[in-house]
């Protein structure tokens, strides 16, 4: 098993050529994360397409990493709260980092009845995300998503704290001390602790 982070379609093609036929499966994250200027065609960068066109002998599996992470965190929290009669419902959950992963996770957890607070540095973007999540959640879901630009404020009294930032250690000792007793902490980002 190995993993590679690519920064251009050319890198993806070169790596696919190197491993095609030498491994049984090649997994490719289908999210489009490469800037257009790193594209070979001038169109939006598409690593999935480039690897599909290159692989002939190995089996190609396409997945979306952030969606897998959302499902994994949901399953983990389900197991960690299985002794609670209400499960996740009614829990106070804070998600530090409301990007793609944090926002998707917030929607999933609010749909399960959790009271979710998300954070993001830019207030105007945060307001848009909170408004959108509360708009698209099921009509009869009474819990809601709230937002703040302060990680410390979001964490106060939280029963579940989830870090989703990329390389920012946002979960500090001060934040941990402010959590509810027996709080669950999940680092689903990169180095949030």
């Amino acid at each position: 098993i190995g993993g590679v982070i690519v920064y251009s379609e050319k890198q993806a093609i070169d790596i696919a050529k190197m491993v095609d036929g030498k491994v049984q499966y090649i997994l490719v994250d289908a999210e489009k994360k490469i800037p257009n200027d790193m594209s070979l065609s001038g169109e939006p960068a598409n690593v999935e397409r480039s690897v599909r066109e290159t692989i002939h002998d190995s089996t190609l599996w396409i997945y979306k990493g952030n969606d897998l992470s959302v499902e994994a965190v949901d399953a983990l929290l389900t197991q960690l709260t299985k002794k609670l009669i209400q499960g996740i419902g009614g829990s106070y959950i804070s998600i530090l980092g409301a990007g793609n992963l944090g926002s998707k996770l917030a929607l999933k957890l609010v749909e399960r009845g959790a009271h979710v607070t998300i954070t993001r540095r830019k207030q105007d973007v945060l307001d848009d995300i909170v408004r959108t999540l509360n708009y698209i959640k099921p009509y009869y879901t009474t819990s809601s998503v709230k937002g703040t630009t302060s990680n410390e404020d979001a964490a106060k009294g939280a029963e579940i704290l989830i870090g989703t930032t990329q390389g920012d250690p946002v979960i500090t000792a001060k934040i941990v001390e402010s959590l509810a007793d027996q709080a669950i902490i999940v680092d689903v980002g990169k180095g949030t602790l």
Side-chain angles (χ1 to χ4, degrees):
I1 297 174
V4 179
I5 298 173
V6 298
Y7 295 96
S8 71
E9 285 179 321
K10 181 178 180 333
Q11 284 180 333
I13 291 167
D14 290 345
I15 292 165
K17 286 178 182 176
M18 280 190 275
V19 299
D20 188 26
K22 294 181 177 84
V23 296
Q24 187 173 3
Y25 300 103
I26 297 173
L27 285 74
V28 175
D29 185 342
E31 292 178 13
K32 310 300 186 245
K33 299 177 183 174
I34 295 178
N36 289 349
D37 62 345
M38 299 306 286
S39 169
L40 295 174
S41 64
E43 298 293 319
N46 189 333
V47 169
E48 177 186 347
R49 184 199 69 237
S50 297
V51 174
R52 278 183 188 274
E53 293 171 351
T54 305
I55 297 300
H56 302 291
D57 299 319
S58 297
T59 300
L60 182 62
W61 286 1
I62 305 299
Y63 71 98
K64 287 182 59 195
N66 282 351
D67 292 355
L68 290 176
S69 296
V70 168
E71 294 302 321
V73 170
D74 184 58
L76 173 67
L77 293 177
T78 297
Q79 289 304 308
L80 293 174
T81 60
K82 69 183 175 184
K83 291 184 180 176
L84 303 174
I85 194 73
Q86 78 277 9
I88 292 172
S91 296
Y92 288 87
I93 301 177
S94 294
I95 300 173
L96 308 184
N100 181 283
L101 178 57
S103 298
K104 288 177 178 180
L105 194 50
L107 180 61
K108 181 136 188 126
L109 296 172
V110 81
E111 287 176 340
R112 294 194 58 192
H115 306 285
V116 180
T117 300
I118 59 175
T119 66
R120 190 157 174 132
R121 285 179 285 221
K122 291 187 176 183
Q123 185 70 53
D124 58 333
V125 176
L126 176 66
D127 292 343
D128 288 345
I129 293 169
V130 168
R131 188 172 29 261
T132 301
L133 292 174
N134 284 316
Y135 182 76
I136 63 175
K137 70 180 175 119
Y139 179 77
Y140 291 107
T141 298
T142 58
S143 57
S144 63
V145 178
K146 295 178 181 168
T148 178
T149 58
S150 169
N151 292 333
E152 290 82 13
D153 289 347
K156 283 181 190 162
E159 297 163 295
I160 299 171
L161 179 68
I162 305 168
T164 65
T165 60
Q166 298 214 11
D168 295 329
V170 293
I171 301 175
T172 64
K174 181 179 178 182
I175 284 177
V176 171
E177 291 170 5
S178 74
L179 297 172
D181 290 340
Q182 305 299 309
I184 297 167
I185 300 172
V186 179
D187 177 359
V188 71
K190 295 178 183 159
T192 64
L193 294 171

